[in-house]
Amino acid sequence: MKKILVLHTGGTISMSATASGALQPNAENPLMAQDDLQGLFDHKLQLITEEIFNLPSPHMTPQRMLALRDRILRGEREEGIDGVVITHGTDTLEETAYFLDLTLPSTIPVVVTGAMRGANEIGSDGLYNFQSAVWTAYSDEARGKGVLVVMNDEVHTARFVTKTHTTNVATFRTPTFGPIGLISKHHVNFFQELIQQTVCDIDHVINGVYLLKAFAGMDGDLFSAVDLPTTHGIVIEALGAGNLPPETLPAIRQLLAHHIPIVLVSRCFNGIAEDVYDYAGGGVELKKMGIIFCRGLNGQKARIKLLVALSNGKQGDELRHYVNNAVS
């Protein structure tokens, strides 16, 4: 019998609606309170359930992500866990999932899920998503695929999935590539393989890694505001294929002169950032200045990757190589 460690962290899946319709955290996660939860799985597996946090996902921090990572490692190494399911609020779910994907060895299945509707709302999706996540963690085929996100009958990679709608239950999507698997009758069907990446082991996380989004008419004020001794790195969601307004360049050059690594992604929903355009503020110039182009990740994921890399002590060419490619 397989042992599946269930770690509840809070979020909508653990909340209930009040009489006014507002969602609020419960004193106890409803999934923790269901005595018959084990019965959903016909005694084919053993659930070991723990409430590690009870937080709305905007309250999640990299330090808490690290504590979650450490709990999973302990379960695998000391408790003989065969798979892990994490329930999480959806606002920052993709960031926690990707942090774990970068810092956990890709051995036992680790599956993150959540809900878009509270536990007592009509059409609540929490219990169903939870059940699908457990069946995925139970599957032998889920081993070695990195951290997975299971929502709405679909299996996505933590690396590329993102939240695309504020309220729709089908909010989690993987732009360009689509899901790698589907849930059907308690069985997971995988259709794609994910290119593996090297695990980046860390024992702490640094602060001072920021995400800024470019816009028409942007100048250097925001970049100057974060030009501080406590700033360790910056990610920019640039325009189009990877371009910035020319008025930003003096402040960016100052940041680079202060040896603050700057990573660039596109603010576009699909595609990758590249050094295509050769004009003032174009990608060709930005790359020559020393900005690192991160291909294939969105801004929040690139920030997590830069944060993990810096927490691991990566610098110079090693940092550039690690951050540059989403599959490295």
Side-chain angles (χ1 to χ4, degrees):
M1 179 180 290
K2 288 187 177 181
K3 293 195 291 185
I4 305 298
L5 175 64
V6 177
L7 298 174
H8 295 301
T9 71
T12 299
I13 195 170
S14 69
M15 297 182 186
S16 295
T18 64
S20 67
L23 287 167
Q24 292 183 345
N26 291 296
E28 184 179 15
N29 190 319
L31 290 176
M32 291 280 290
Q34 296 196 33
D35 295 332
D36 60 345
L37 204 58
Q38 178 71 58
L40 292 172
F41 306 103
D42 301 325
H43 305 290
K44 292 182 179 179
L45 51 88
Q46 178 187 0
L47 293 181
I48 302 170
T49 304
E50 180 178 322
E51 188 173 61
I52 187 169
F53 307 122
N54 186 14
L55 299 168
S57 66
H59 296 191
M60 184 60 70
T61 64
Q63 289 76 15
R64 287 173 173 141
M65 295 175 193
L66 183 63
L68 189 58
R69 192 285 305 252
D70 291 344
R71 177 64 186 94
I72 293 169
L73 285 177
R74 189 166 73 251
E76 181 180 7
R77 295 171 178 174
E78 301 176 12
E79 301 167 25
I81 297 301
D82 298 296
V84 179
V85 169
I86 301 161
T87 64
H88 197 289
T90 59
D91 285 354
T92 61
L93 184 151
E94 63 189 271
E95 289 161 87
T96 296
Y98 188 53
F99 180 96
L100 297 175
D101 191 57
L102 291 171
T103 59
L104 283 172
S106 183
T107 50
I108 64 171
V110 176
V111 183
V112 188
T113 193
M116 296 301 294
R117 295 172 181 159
N120 64 342
E121 290 188 282
I122 295 174
S124 175
D125 54 330
L127 183 58
Y128 184 86
N129 285 339
F130 174 75
Q131 185 181 35
S132 297
V134 171
W135 283 122
T136 303
Y138 175 78
S139 171
D140 291 333
E141 296 178 18
R143 292 181 63 88
K145 286 185 167 56
V147 175
L148 301 172
V149 173
V150 171
M151 297 276 289
N152 203 40
D153 281 330
E154 293 181 342
V155 183
H156 296 264
T157 66
R159 192 179 305 170
F160 296 122
V161 73
T162 191
K163 186 176 181 179
T164 64
H165 195 285
T166 55
T167 57
N168 196 312
V169 294
T171 180
F172 281 91
R173 293 278 187 257
T174 298
T176 305
F177 308 115
I180 66 167
L182 300 174
I183 310 293
S184 175
K185 294 183 178 179
H186 301 166
H187 180 73
V188 188
N189 303 283
F190 287 101
F191 301 102
Q192 297 186 55
E193 289 291 333
L194 181 68
I195 299 173
Q196 294 301 310
Q197 65 189 11
T198 304
V199 176
C200 193
D201 190 29
I202 58 175
D203 58 12
H204 70 287
V205 287
I206 64 170
N207 295 313
V209 179
Y210 302 112
L211 173 62
L212 298 176
K213 187 167 188 169
F215 51 85
M218 189 180 196
D219 59 23
D221 288 352
L222 289 176
F223 295 103
S224 296
V226 294
D227 191 358
L228 303 167
T230 54
T231 298
H232 292 104
I234 296 170
V235 174
I236 305 172
E237 287 190 7
L239 308 171
N243 312 300
L244 292 172
E247 291 79 11
T248 64
L249 299 184
I252 289 174
R253 287 193 178 95
Q254 278 295 107
L255 288 164
L256 292 169
H258 295 154
H259 305 291
I260 296 172
I262 300 176
V263 174
L264 185 142
V265 299
S266 174
R267 71 178 193 177
C268 294
F269 193 70
N270 279 298
I272 61 176
E274 298 179 282
D275 52 329
V276 176
Y277 290 96
D278 191 2
Y279 52 69
V284 172
E285 180 180 15
L286 298 177
K287 191 170 184 179
K288 287 179 181 177
M289 288 168 56
I291 290 178
I292 304 169
F293 279 62
C294 179
R295 298 177 295 163
L297 296 180
N298 60 25
Q300 55 267 34
K301 298 266 185 70
R303 177 185 171 270
I304 290 293
K305 191 163 194 181
L306 178 59
L307 184 149
V308 167
L310 293 171
S311 299
N312 180 258
K314 296 186 187 301
Q315 300 178 27
D317 289 342
E318 184 183 19
L319 175 68
R320 181 177 299 275
H321 175 76
Y322 180 76
V323 175
N324 177 252
N325 200 320
V327 299
S328 65

